[in-house]
Amino acid sequence: MIARLSLSSAFALAISLSAAAQPPPPGVPPSPPGAPPAPPAPVVGEGAKFKDLDALLEEVRKGFRTENVEIKRREAEFAAARDQQKGLLQKALAEKQAAEKRGAELERSFEQNELKIAELEETLRIRLGTMGELFGVIRQMAGDARGQVENSIASAQFPGRGQTLAPLAESKALPSVEQLELLWFVLQQEATESGKVVRFRTSVIQSDGSEAEDEVVRVGVFNAVSRGRYLQWLPEVQKLRVLTPQPAGRYVSTVTALEGASGGHTRFAIDPSRGSVLGLLVQTPSLQDTLDAGGLVGYVIMSLAALGLLIGLVRLVQLTIVNRRVRRQEKDRTLRDDNPLGRVLKLLEAHAGADLETRELKLDEALVREQGALERSLWLVNVVAVVAPLLGLLGTITGMIRTFQAIVLFGTGDPKMMASGISEALVTTMQGLLTAIPLVLLYAWLKSVVRRIMDVLNEESTGILAARQEEDGRK
C-alpha cells in the first residue's frame, strides 16, 4: 500500500514538472522574471481515464519527447540569433572605426584650413596695405551719403537714391568699380542739384492727411513750395508734406512771387538750415497767442489801455485845435468865441467900466473856467497810466501762484507744466508797462499843451488888465 502511494506520488510529480515545462498557450504572456510561478497547465489527457499506470507512463514519456524537441528548437533559434547579433556588432564596430578615422581626417583638414586661411588673410593684409583703410573710409562715406540723400529735398525728385547706396554702406567685401562710380555719381548729383531751382510734379501730403499730385518748385536742397505754401520733407516716408502752420505772411508772400517767376531774379525767403528755421518760425507764438497768455488780467489791462489811449488821443486833437485858435487869436484883434483867449478878452471888454477888483475877480473866474475845460478827462489818462503797472504786478503774482501750484502737483520734471503760469506772469507785466509808458508820455504832453494855452491866457489877460488900469489912472 505504501509502495503504491509512492508510485502515485511520483507520477503526479512527473506530470506537474511536465506541465510546468510546457510553453504557455497562445495569447497568454510569459511570466516576468521574479514573479511567482504560474499554476501548472493541464496535461494532455488530464481528466481522461487511463486503463492502467502503463498508459499513463506512456503518455508522460510522449510529453517528455515533445518537450525535448521544443527545447532543441529554441536553442537553435537562440544560437542563430547570437550569431546574427555578433555580425551586427562587428558591423557597428567597423562603422565606428571608419567614422573615427573620417573625423580625424576632417579635424586635420580643418586645422590645415585654419592655418591656410590665416596665411591668406595675412597675405591679403600685406597686399592691400593702406587700401583696407581706404575701403573702410569709402564705406563710411557711403553711409554718410545715404543719410544725406535720404534727408535731402532733392530725393523727392530723385527717389530711391539712398537704397542704391545701402549695399556699399553695409558690405564688408571690397567695393566694386560700379559701386564706387555710383557713390561718386550720387555725391555729384547732390552737389549739382543744390544750385538749381527746378519744377517737377510729385505726390504731396496735404494738411488733412490726404495725398495729391502737385507741381513743386524746389530751391536747391533747402526749400520746396507748392500752391503758395512751404513744404516740409519727411525722411521717414520719403514724401513732401504741407508745412502746418505756415510761417508769417511776410515769408509766405515770397512763395507766390517765386512760383510765378519764369526767369531772372526774384525775392524769396530761403531757409539755409533745410527746414530747421522754418520749424522754429511756425512754433513762434502769434500776437493773439501772446495776448491769450496774459489771461483775464491781461485783457483788463488791454481794455484800460485802449480806453486811456482813446481818451488821450481825442483830447490831444482837441487841445491842438484850441492851441492853434489861441495862436491865431493873438495875431487877430477881432475877438472870437471859438477859443479861450477870445472869450476871456470879451469878458474883460464887457466889464471895462467896472473897478479893478471886479475885473480881477471876473478874470480869475474866467481863467479857472477855461482851465477846467482844457483839463477835462485828463485825469482818466493819468489814472490808467498808474493802474496799468499795478494790474501787471497783480498778473505777475497770480501767474507765479499758478506756477508754484504746478510744481507742487507735477514737480519740476516737465517745464511745459509751468509754462502757462510763467507766461501769464511775464505777459501781464509787459502789458502793464506797455500801457503805462505811452500813457505817461501822452499825459505829460497833454499837460504841457494845457500849460502853454494857460500861459498865453494869463499873459494876454494880465497885459490887457494892466493896460486898462493904466488908462484909468491917466484919466
Side-chain angles (χ1 to χ4, degrees):
M1 184 68 176
I2 295 174
R4 185 178 297 178
L5 290 175
S6 299
L7 183 59
S8 300
S9 300
F11 283 147
L13 178 60
I15 291 172
S16 299
L17 292 175
S18 176
Q22 293 293 329
V28 178
S31 299
V43 184
V44 177
E46 183 180 3
K49 301 298 183 179
F50 297 100
K51 294 178 180 182
D52 51 18
L53 293 176
D54 294 332
L56 176 61
L57 182 60
E58 183 64 24
E59 186 67 26
V60 171
R61 289 176 179 173
K62 289 181 180 179
F64 285 157
R65 287 195 296 269
T66 302
E67 181 180 359
N68 291 333
V69 172
E70 180 65 23
I71 290 173
K72 291 180 180 180
R73 185 187 63 80
R74 294 177 66 184
E75 287 179 351
E77 290 180 355
F78 288 151
R82 182 185 62 189
D83 295 338
Q84 182 180 3
Q85 290 176 357
K86 185 177 181 180
L88 293 175
L89 177 61
Q90 295 296 331
K91 183 179 179 180
L93 291 176
E95 292 179 353
K96 177 183 177 183
Q97 291 177 357
E100 291 177 350
K101 182 178 180 181
R102 177 62 177 168
E105 293 177 355
L106 291 176
E107 185 175 359
R108 287 194 299 271
S109 177
F110 177 78
E111 293 176 354
Q112 293 175 359
N113 290 335
E114 285 286 333
L115 295 175
K116 188 175 181 180
I117 290 174
E119 293 176 358
L120 293 176
E121 287 181 348
E122 181 65 19
T123 304
L124 178 62
R125 186 185 65 81
I126 294 174
R127 292 182 179 179
L128 283 178
T130 58
M131 295 297 291
E133 298 180 3
L134 176 60
F135 292 146
V137 173
I138 290 176
R139 285 192 290 269
Q140 182 180 359
M141 289 180 60
D144 296 341
R146 178 186 178 185
Q148 181 179 355
V149 298
E150 287 181 349
N151 293 325
S152 175
I153 295 180
S155 295
Q157 186 179 359
F158 307 101
R161 296 187 300 167
Q163 295 300 324
T164 60
L165 295 177
L168 178 58
E170 298 172 358
S171 175
K172 295 183 179 179
L174 297 179
S176 62
V177 176
E178 291 78 8
Q179 290 177 327
L180 294 177
E181 290 178 348
L182 176 62
L183 175 60
W184 168 82
F185 174 77
V186 172
L187 293 176
Q188 180 66 29
Q189 183 186 44
E190 184 72 10
T192 303
E193 295 299 325
S194 64
K196 290 183 178 180
V197 179
V198 296
R199 298 176 186 269
F200 63 96
R201 298 192 65 84
T202 186
S203 178
V204 178
I205 302 176
Q206 306 298 319
S207 302
D208 57 357
S210 61
E211 292 189 21
E213 187 174 351
D214 290 338
E215 184 181 64
V216 177
V217 178
R218 176 175 58 82
V219 182
V221 293
F222 306 104
N223 293 108
V225 295
S226 176
R227 298 186 183 182
R229 303 164 300 178
Y230 279 93
L231 303 180
Q232 182 183 15
W233 175 247
L234 301 178
E236 298 82 6
V237 296
Q238 294 290 295
K239 289 184 180 295
L240 289 170
R241 180 177 67 90
V242 176
L243 184 62
T244 305
Q246 291 286 309
R250 65 178 181 274
Y251 305 116
V252 178
S253 61
T254 61
V255 175
T256 305
L258 176 64
E259 291 184 309
S262 58
H265 297 83
T266 185
R267 182 172 173 267
F268 177 69
I270 190 172
D271 180 9
S273 64
R274 304 187 182 189
S276 299
V277 175
L278 278 177
L280 295 176
L281 285 177
V282 298
Q283 296 178 5
T284 303
S286 61
L287 178 61
Q288 185 61 41
D289 296 335
T290 304
L291 294 179
D292 293 340
L296 178 61
V297 177
Y299 283 115
V300 172
I301 293 175
M302 298 308 295
S303 300
L304 291 177
L307 177 62
L309 287 175
L310 178 62
I311 295 175
L313 292 177
V314 170
R315 293 299 297 149
L316 179 61
V317 172
Q318 293 175 349
L319 291 177
T320 301
I321 295 174
V322 171
N323 188 38
R324 290 180 179 178
R325 290 177 179 177
V326 169
R327 295 298 181 184
R328 187 176 56 196
Q329 183 65 62
E330 286 182 308
K331 301 176 182 178
D332 190 0
R333 294 294 92 187
T334 302
L335 301 180
R336 295 183 176 85
D337 293 333
D338 60 351
N339 63 91
L341 181 58
R343 290 192 291 269
V344 171
L345 295 180
K346 275 191 174 184
L347 181 63
L348 292 177
E349 290 292 334
H351 296 84
D355 55 13
L356 178 60
E357 183 178 358
T358 302
R359 284 183 289 182
E360 289 178 351
L361 292 175
K362 292 294 182 181
L363 177 61
D364 292 339
E365 180 184 358
L367 292 176
V368 171
R369 184 170 56 252
E370 295 296 337
Q371 184 175 3
L374 292 173
E375 294 180 349
R376 185 179 64 252
S377 302
L378 295 186
W379 65 273
L380 288 174
V381 179
N382 189 28
V383 168
V384 173
V386 173
V387 171
L390 299 179
L391 290 175
L393 180 60
L394 175 62
T396 301
I397 295 174
T398 57
M400 295 308 297
I401 291 175
R402 290 181 55 189
T403 301
F404 289 129
Q405 289 176 347
I407 292 176
V408 171
L409 295 176
F410 307 103
T412 58
D414 189 1
K416 293 183 179 180
M417 303 301 298
M418 303 179 290
S420 60
I422 297 175
S423 297
E424 180 180 351
L426 298 178
V427 169
T428 53
T429 304
M430 177 192 69
Q431 291 173 338
L433 294 177
L434 289 178
T435 301
I437 292 173
L439 287 181
V440 168
L441 296 177
L442 182 59
Y443 179 74
W445 190 0
L446 294 174
K447 290 293 290 184
S448 65
V449 174
V450 171
R451 190 179 301 108
R452 285 197 301 269
I453 295 175
M454 292 304 301
D455 290 341
V456 173
L457 293 181
N458 289 325
E459 182 181 354
E460 293 292 333
S461 60
T462 302
I464 294 175
L465 186 61
R468 294 293 175 83
Q469 182 64 27
E470 185 178 354
E471 290 179 358
D472 293 343
R474 284 197 299 268
K475 293 179 181 179

